[in-house]
Amino acid sequence: MDNIFALWTKGIDSERGFWTRWFETKGLEWADDYTERVRARRELDPWLQKVLRQSAVNAPGQDGMPRFRVLDVGAGPLSKIGNFMPDANLEVVAADPLAFIYSDLIDRHGITPGVRTQFAPAEDLSVFFAPSSFDLVHCSNALDHSFEPLRGIIEMLRVVRVGGTIILGHARNEAENEKYEGFHQHNFDVEDGRFVIWNKKERVIVEHELPVEFEIENSMQNRYVTNKIIKRSEFRDKDDNRRRDERLRKIYEQVIRAMSEK
Ligand SMILES: C[S@@+](CC[C@H](N)C(=O)[O-])C[C@H]1O[C@@H](n2cnc3c(N)ncnc32)[C@H](O)[C@@H]1O
């Protein structure tokens, strides 16, 4: 992690600025997107509904309908994926490390969100959510804003159940496009069919780094990278307390250091 977390904290102000303007102008140049997102009840994205139906395993509830639990990682202030299905019981959970900022903005603008975004960074999802507790994990245009995207994917694998799916959607090579400013420190790409995450310091082929069995489909269309990962086996290691303590120590140190440098 070295000082990448400290660098990440420096991107918070610009992200806050973006969303502050987004609320004040009702969506900047994306007025339709604003109108959609502030609606409290919205049908889940059709593609995500299809993925859920294909992997249904949960026993139906008393009403005979299947039950699904979905996590939107890096959801922003108002998750865009929707929050109900006409023929299933659906729970959508939205998570983002800037949840406190977003909650404040939502309240200030008198909005009642369908799903209120709660605090959790991608890199430590399993600290906040039970292992194997989601049928689907979704993340769009957010993991490439994180401080350790590969760890984020591994944590998504921890909280999704075996047979469940992770859907990632990101603009191709966004750090290059954004000149490595703010949260834009990682590029996502597809090379020879493989999912590659890179920046000026490192380059990883995601398929080589995942510690469970999985199936992956990577595609690129109109400079947009989509990855569909199905978890096929459970983790064998336990993310033991000692490793977690070590990580907590590093994060503590980096937060205080980043705050001291202001
Ligand atoms: C461009 S917005 C995308 C929001 C939403 N997913 C969408 O598609 O509209 C990027 C989001 O990534 C979030 N983000 C930054 N670092 C993150 C991390 N480490 N884990 C999860 N989300 C993160 C930001 O706070 C921000 O809300």
Side-chain angles (χ1 to χ4, degrees):
M1 184 161 52
D2 295 335
N3 62 10
I4 188 107
F5 181 71
L7 188 64
W8 178 87
T9 60
K10 295 188 195 309
I12 294 175
D13 277 348
S14 92
E15 197 70 19
R16 183 209 311 265
F18 171 84
W19 289 106
T20 302
R21 288 192 303 281
W22 189 83
F23 277 104
E24 283 169 0
T25 59
K26 297 200 184 320
L28 294 162
E29 62 257 56
W30 304 281
D32 291 350
D33 179 54
Y34 176 89
T35 311
E36 251 321 279
R37 287 190 197 224
V38 294
R39 276 176 50 214
R41 196 170 143 80
R42 275 176 295 136
E43 187 166 343
L44 188 72
D45 174 279
W47 185 43
L48 300 184
Q49 290 196 44
K50 192 171 159 203
V51 170
L52 280 172
R53 288 198 191 94
Q54 280 167 350
S55 65
V57 289
N58 298 338
Q62 283 182 344
D63 53 9
M65 295 213 281
R67 290 171 295 132
F68 297 119
R69 201 159 176 254
V70 174
L71 175 64
D72 190 15
V73 176
L78 294 162
S79 167
K80 70 172 190 184
I81 63 175
N83 52 21
F84 87 92
M85 282 170 74
D87 52 359
N89 283 311
L90 176 69
E91 182 193 357
V92 173
V93 177
D96 198 293
L98 301 193
F100 305 120
I101 293 174
Y102 297 152
S103 226
D104 185 45
L105 281 169
I106 280 167
D107 293 342
R108 234 189 302 149
H109 289 272
I111 293 162
T112 308
V115 177
R116 190 173 281 263
T117 302
Q118 52 184 277
F119 176 78
E123 291 81 349
D124 285 292
L125 291 171
S126 63
V127 173
F128 298 87
F129 305 110
S132 306
S133 60
F134 291 97
D135 301 288
L136 174 69
V137 176
H138 167 269
C139 181
S140 66
N141 293 323
L143 198 59
D144 58 356
H145 290 54
S146 73
F147 41 97
E148 278 186 274
L150 177 63
R151 184 177 164 97
I153 296 171
I154 294 171
E155 283 288 295
M156 290 179 196
L157 282 166
R158 283 190 191 279
V159 299
V160 79
R161 67 168 167 81
V162 171
T165 308
I166 298 169
I167 301 282
L168 309 176
H170 292 87
R172 180 178 184 229
N173 295 341
E174 193 65 345
E176 286 278 306
N177 301 338
E178 296 288 338
K179 314 239 172 324
Y180 295 86
E181 278 170 13
F183 281 163
H184 303 106
Q185 302 301 322
H186 306 279
N187 296 297
F188 285 18
D189 204 354
V190 179
E191 288 174 16
D192 299 328
R194 297 226 166 98
F195 179 13
V196 177
I197 299 181
W198 67 278
N199 61 19
K200 288 174 182 163
K201 284 198 186 137
E202 56 187 353
R203 180 177 187 280
V204 293
I205 296 174
V206 173
E207 282 88 333
H208 294 172
E209 308 293 334
L210 304 182
V212 291
E213 288 165 34
F214 61 92
E215 285 163 37
I216 188 164
E217 285 170 30
N218 306 311
S219 60
M220 186 161 41
Q221 249 188 338
N222 301 327
R223 300 190 55 81
Y224 197 73
V225 174
T226 304
N227 316 93
K228 179 180 174 193
I229 307 171
I230 303 179
K231 179 176 170 181
R232 288 296 179 208
S233 73
E234 207 37 275
F235 281 78
R236 260 180 256 136
D237 73 311
K238 292 268 174 279
D239 201 8
D240 59 81
N241 291 343
R242 197 181 47 76
R243 272 175 48 201
R244 190 150 273 166
D245 287 354
E246 204 174 292
R247 185 171 169 77
L248 188 60
R249 271 198 295 277
K250 275 194 194 155
I251 290 185
Y252 246 125
E253 192 192 309
Q254 294 207 3
V255 170
I256 306 284
R257 187 180 300 157
M259 290 174 76
S260 318
E261 280 167 6
K262 277 194 175 160

